[in-house]
């Protein structure tokens, strides 16, 4: 019974986590960059529509996690019916991934720390923080940027890792829908744990590693020796 009651603050915390994650996807600056400098994939991902889509999906996933958590306990009326509606294959779920645990607390700690770094980077870059690759008004080398060249990406990576650990693990929400495609995705050990990791790693490479490379090439071209000195110190 205590565990069931504790699922209520857990669900509320998950919703707050989803709110923070989607804030990490917003562009804080209203500066408009009209020149296309990225690949078409990054151009779409960084577009206003792409950002709205990512933020909406994030909030939907967090809400889904919260409702499933409440449905697995005795908190919701008609919980079995609700669970079957929002999770067609609940038999593959691990209830431990929908309540408080050491892993949950560690994921939340990583999320809050990562989002703090991300939001500090927002503030310290100001209008120079854009999702398009464009020359900033100046080279910022103070604050977090005195120690790390890309604190915004560092914070975002921490947020994404926390999101994966909290909301996208195998036997979690993924197992609500993946078996409808093929049960091997959740029953076969090789598929069950390797596929989500590979998919997550590919997303990180496409939207972060390549982006950092392209951004650093632009910064070196625009700021030359000043950038190379900053790069050597951080």
């Amino acid at each position: 019974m205590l565990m069931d009651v504790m699922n209520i603050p857990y669900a509320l915390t998950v919703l707050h986590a989803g709110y923070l994650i989607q804030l990490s996807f917003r562009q804080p600056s209203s500066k408009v960059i009209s020149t296309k400098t990225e690949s078409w994939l990054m151009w779409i991902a960084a577009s206003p529509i792409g950002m709205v889509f990512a933020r909406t999906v994030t909030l939907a996933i967090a809400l889904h996690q919260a409702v499933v958590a409440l449905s697995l306990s005795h908190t919701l009326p008609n919980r079995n019916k609700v669970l079957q509606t929002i999770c067609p294959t609940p038999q593959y779920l691990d209830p431990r991934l929908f309540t408080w645990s050491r892993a949950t607390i560690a994921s939340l700690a990583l999320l809050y720390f990562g989002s703090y770094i991300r939001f500090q980077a927002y503030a310290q870059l100001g209008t120079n923080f854009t999702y398009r690759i464009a020359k900033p008004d100046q080279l910022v080398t103070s604050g977090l940027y005195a120690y790390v060249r890309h604190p915004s990406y560092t914070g975002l990576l921490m947020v994404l890792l926390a999101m994966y650990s909290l909301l996208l693990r195998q036997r979690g929400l993924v197992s609500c829908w993946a078996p409808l495609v093929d049960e091997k995705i959740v029953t076969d050990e090789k598929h069950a744990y390797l596929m989500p990791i590979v998919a997550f790693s590919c997303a990180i490479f496409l939207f972060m590693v390549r982006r950092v490379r392209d951004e650093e090439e632009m910064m070196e071209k625009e700021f030359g020796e000043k950038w190379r000195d900053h790069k050597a110190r951080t």
Side-chain angles (χ1 to χ4, degrees), residues 166-184:
L166 187 65
L167 303 175
L168 301 176
R169 288 172 61 187
Q170 190 57 260
R171 298 295 182 183
L173 291 183
V174 173
S175 296
C176 277
W177 305 99
L180 298 180
V181 178
D182 190 338
E183 287 191 356
K184 287 184 178 180

Side-chain angles (χ1 to χ4, degrees), residues 5-17:
V5 173
M6 290 302 294
N7 268 14
I8 296 176
Y10 168 83
L12 293 175
T13 302
V14 165
L15 291 176
H16 184 254

Side-chain angles (χ1 to χ4, degrees), residues 105-126:
I105 294 172
S107 299
L108 289 170
L110 183 64
L111 169 61
Y112 288 124
F113 187 49
S115 59
Y116 172 79
I117 294 175
R118 177 79 165 170
F119 300 153
Q120 283 295 305
Y122 281 176
Q124 291 171 12
L125 274 189

Side-chain angles (χ1 to χ4, degrees), residues 82-113:
V82 172
L83 182 61
Q84 193 65 51
T85 300
I86 63 174
C87 182
T89 55
Q91 66 270 26
Y92 294 110
L93 299 181
D94 183 347
R96 295 173 297 179
L97 298 181
F98 294 88
T99 189
W100 294 107
S101 66
R102 291 180 180 177
T104 297
I105 294 172
S107 299
L108 289 170
L110 183 64
L111 169 61
Y112 288 124
F113 187 49

